[in-house]
Amino acid sequence: MMLDRISLILVIIGAINWGSIGLFQFDIVAWLFGGQGAIISRIIYTVVALAGIWCLSLLFRENEVLSTNDE
């Protein structure tokens, strides 16, 4: 599902940003978009948070088993 992939990419971006904050005290999103209080930064933080909430659903889904036909 495309929404799953987009959400996962956004969560990975958020994880990289949090890693840079934790390791280097450097907020990449704030640096790129004019500080933590800038409206675009706040929108990005919100979209990443929503993607993280969506990714929670991945934990509770049934695994799809791909079947192959060997002929």
Side-chain angles (χ1 to χ4, degrees):
M1 186 174 186
M2 190 59 141
L3 186 58
D4 294 342
R5 289 179 186 226
I6 292 170
S7 295
L8 189 56
I9 290 168
L10 289 171
V11 168
I12 291 169
I13 290 169
I16 291 169
N17 190 53
W18 275 108
S20 72
I21 292 169
L23 293 172
F24 309 114
Q25 296 181 349
F26 182 70
D27 187 344
I28 297 169
V29 173
W31 176 70
L32 287 174
F33 299 106
Q36 288 181 339
I39 190 69
I40 189 71
S41 294
R42 294 179 65 198
I43 291 170
I44 291 170
Y45 295 139
T46 303
V47 169
V48 170
L50 292 172
I53 292 168
W54 179 262
C55 284
L56 284 174
S57 71
L58 298 175
L59 293 173
F60 302 106
R61 289 191 200 163
E62 294 285 326
N63 289 336
E64 294 179 18
V65 177
L66 298 175
S67 62
T68 59
N69 294 331
D70 293 329
E71 294 181 33

